[in-house]
Amino acid sequence: SSSRPLAGSSDLKQAGLQEQEQETSRPASLPAAGHQLRKDLWGLWEEHEASGDRARSNTRYCVRLCIAGEEVCSSFASKSEAWEFQRSSLRGSTLAWPRRPEELEGDGPVERDPLWDHPEELEEFKEYTFRVPPAVRATSSTDGAEGNDNNTNNSNSKQSKSGKTNNNNNNKKKKKASAETVRNSSAPGLSLAEAQQFEEQGFLLGLEVLAGEELTKAKADFEDLLADRLQRCQTEEDRFRATHTLARPLHQDLVARLAQNERVLSIVEDILGPRFVCWSAHLFCKLPGDPTQQPWHQDAGFWPLSASRALTVWVAIDDVDSTNSSVRFVPGSHRLGRLPWRRTTAEHKLLTQEIPDVDLLGDPVSSVLKAGQASVHCDLTVHGSAGNSSTRRRAGVALRFVGSDAECLGPMINGYRMNNGCILPRGTASDPKQHWKALKRRSGGEAARMKRQLAAVAGATPGTSPTSEATA
């Protein structure tokens, strides 16, 4: 058996309620008779069950959510039923989310952000599911419905005449789960309690990553990158915008070191498993007085991935807390599947879309980090940040990782392909399929530092260099 993604495209927005009523009269919160849902996934996905007729297969569209602490699950014969079940479950629950459903994505064309988003036609091929970390799966007694890294396997294996098929499959799955918990890195990763917390919350805070000389070096490199960005700015607005982006991020020495830091790799491996790559990074720096907001969003909605297998490790360069606009997370929101959004009304923003009525989903938690510590969140966790009205800078480097069992479905609207140049921390073992291509790296941070030193010696005026941002 195999799986395919369940999408949030326009065809899923047709309820198909007649078909649902004809199919069964069972309670909506129970899976179809004889169909056991996977216990290592949260969200919406598609499964194919082998039938007696080799020419046919039974396709089921599965939904498993955790709403206000209660598990809600079912499976359906059509995508539209599954999609409507997710939305109606959120509306009819104690969350009563959203307040005004009519303001969310309609049945017409979806307006997507030209800088950060992917074309709408890729949406139907995406899967929005959170996969339980390997260590948590290995300790679960309900792991019988677990699949492999690339496909969702039917949990109801057809028993052979000898009666041994199910036992053999379960033994193989147990061996696989144990193998996944063997870390490639010698550095400490997550404790079992931290892995379980990540499974429940969708994020972790205060993970120690850098200290001593490593932290001192990271801070110096960050200041060099920031100075190189700011020297071209003519206005305050330019300064605010420049500190949220980074040209050729994976070519920068700071990013390359962090993306191959053994402590970082151990943390990522304990969540994604042993095969993953670093596909991008961002310099996130909010200067004092910067009004730029990050509206509430899920990263998965913007990235053209076949499965929600991306992870962000946010390494703090400054001490950050709620007073200088730290990132805020909504606990448990990663187990609600893909949440519809509307166009944001924020005046100063990076993203053009936002998830509304987040207060109904739960109480947001503000990230509190000391310099050198990190937060980590999955691509389905709802998060955002406000403008920085304080007199303190808030700076960090966000590293973007993705499990290599997911694939890039196509280019972003701006033409960028996520899999064209990545840091493979374990070489070819990071992606045996070779879908994620290794970066052909050019020097970044040291070149920028030497350029400024030469300019200072020569008495050059900052900002007069003819070097473009694309080659800086």
Side-chain angles (χ1 to χ4, degrees):
S1 61
S2 62
S3 71
R4 289 184 56 209
L6 175 62
S9 56
S10 58
D11 67 309
L12 303 189
K13 297 167 187 170
Q14 302 172 4
L17 297 178
Q18 262 189 340
E19 187 178 341
Q20 181 179 353
E21 290 173 359
Q22 292 172 358
E23 178 196 3
T24 179
S25 59
R26 71 184 183 281
S29 60
L30 297 176
H35 186 86
Q36 180 184 356
L37 293 187
R38 290 180 58 167
K39 293 299 183 180
D40 66 323
L41 293 179
W42 295 95
L44 297 82
W45 69 94
E46 178 180 325
E47 289 186 1
H48 295 280
E49 299 177 359
S51 65
D53 183 352
R54 293 186 179 181
R56 300 179 57 190
S57 66
N58 298 321
T59 301
R60 302 296 302 177
Y61 298 89
C62 304
V63 184
R64 182 171 180 250
L65 313 172
C66 185
I67 301 177
E70 298 293 330
E71 179 175 340
V72 177
C73 61
S74 193
S75 63
F76 303 89
S78 72
K79 291 180 180 179
S80 59
E81 289 177 293
W83 186 246
E84 177 59 26
F85 175 79
Q86 184 221 14
R87 294 199 177 189
S88 62
S89 296
L90 289 168
R91 289 194 299 267
S93 69
T94 56
L95 300 181
W97 185 93
R99 291 186 175 91
R100 293 175 292 277
E102 67 278 3
E103 293 184 359
L104 301 182
E105 304 160 81
D107 293 329
V110 175
E111 185 177 358
R112 291 188 173 271
D113 191 296
L115 182 60
W116 305 103
D117 216 335
H118 63 74
E120 173 64 15
E121 57 265 26
L122 299 180
E123 184 67 27
E124 64 177 302
F125 302 105
K126 296 173 63 175
E127 175 192 281
Y128 290 95
T129 53
F130 170 77
R131 188 177 301 175
V132 176
V136 180
R137 296 204 299 269
T139 60
S140 173
S141 61
T142 56
D143 231 6
E146 183 182 332
N148 62 30
D149 283 342
N150 297 309
N151 297 309
T152 304
N153 288 339
N154 172 29
S155 60
N156 300 317
S157 302
K158 196 169 184 179
Q159 190 171 6
S160 66
K161 291 182 180 179
S162 64
K164 297 180 179 180
T165 301
N166 285 337
N167 288 334
N168 290 338
N169 286 341
N170 288 336
N171 289 336
K172 289 178 182 178
K173 288 165 186 173
K174 288 178 181 178
K175 289 180 180 178
K176 178 183 178 299
S178 299
E180 283 181 326
T181 62
V182 178
R183 192 182 302 115
N184 288 325
S185 175
S186 58
L190 300 179
S191 66
L192 177 58
E194 287 173 328
Q196 290 171 332
Q197 182 182 348
F198 186 84
E199 194 270 334
E200 294 173 0
Q201 303 291 312
F203 65 92
L204 292 171
L205 303 176
L207 300 173
E208 302 290 345
V209 171
L210 300 176
E213 292 184 5
E214 275 190 321
L215 178 57
T216 300
K217 173 66 171 170
K219 285 186 171 184
D221 285 354
F222 185 92
E223 298 299 339
D224 286 336
L225 288 173
L226 186 62
D228 192 52
R229 298 287 299 168
L230 293 177
Q231 71 174 356
R232 302 180 180 84
C233 299
Q234 303 298 318
T235 67
E236 185 176 58
E237 180 64 23
D238 290 342
R239 288 170 57 85
F240 290 154
R241 299 296 292 183
T243 57
H244 291 283
T245 56
L246 181 61
R248 299 189 297 110
L250 299 188
H251 293 276
Q252 308 301 329
D253 296 333
L254 171 61
V255 172
R257 286 201 312 275
L258 291 177
Q260 298 174 89
N261 178 286
E262 287 299 323
R263 167 63 167 158
V264 170
L265 296 182
S266 287
I267 293 170
V268 174
E269 188 169 336
D270 284 347
I271 296 173
L272 295 180
R275 298 189 181 97
F276 58 88
V277 304
C278 179
W279 65 270
S280 189
H282 287 88
L283 180 153
F284 280 129
C285 179
K286 286 191 179 181
L287 300 175
D290 184 350
T292 306
Q293 301 178 39
Q294 278 282 39
W296 294 108
H297 66 284
Q298 294 170 305
D299 294 333
F302 295 90
W303 297 336
L305 292 171
S306 62
S308 303
R309 295 279 287 142
L311 193 70
T312 295
V313 178
W314 202 100
V315 182
I317 300 299
D318 299 331
D319 292 351
V320 300
D321 53 47
S322 59
T323 64
N324 63 342
S325 183
S326 65
V327 179
R328 295 186 295 165
F329 303 97
V330 180
S333 54
H334 64 305
R335 300 196 294 189
L336 298 176
R338 176 186 182 270
L339 296 176
W341 42 260
R342 68 184 179 193
R343 191 158 187 85
T344 183
T345 57
E347 181 179 357
H348 302 281
K349 75 277 186 181
L350 288 180
L351 304 175
T352 60
Q353 304 149 10
E354 68 176 355
I355 295 172
D357 305 326
V358 166
D359 60 299
L360 298 178
L361 300 178
D363 295 327
V365 174
S366 294
S367 179
V368 178
L369 303 171
K370 294 292 185 182
Q373 291 183 332
S375 67
V376 58
H377 67 271
C378 83
D379 54 356
L380 283 170
T381 303
V382 175
H383 61 289
S385 64
N388 184 8
S389 59
S390 77
T391 57
R392 297 166 52 215
R393 189 184 73 174
R394 187 220 70 175
V397 176
L399 305 167
R400 312 291 196 184
F401 293 92
V402 62
S404 58
D405 50 302
E407 294 187 355
C408 175
L409 297 171
M412 308 280 278
I413 294 175
N414 64 11
Y416 173 72
R417 295 188 69 98
M418 296 172 64
N419 66 322
N420 265 3
C422 309
I423 293 176
L424 278 58
R426 305 301 184 200
T428 55
S430 298
D431 178 26
K433 297 183 301 180
Q434 299 182 350
H435 172 77
W436 299 89
K437 309 302 181 185
L439 178 75
K440 296 179 180 178
R441 187 169 174 264
R442 293 170 286 174
S443 178
E446 290 300 323
R449 178 179 300 174
M450 292 182 64
K451 183 178 68 175
R452 282 190 303 279
Q453 290 174 344
L454 291 172
V457 170
T461 303
T464 59
S465 171
T467 306
S468 69
E469 179 175 311
T471 59

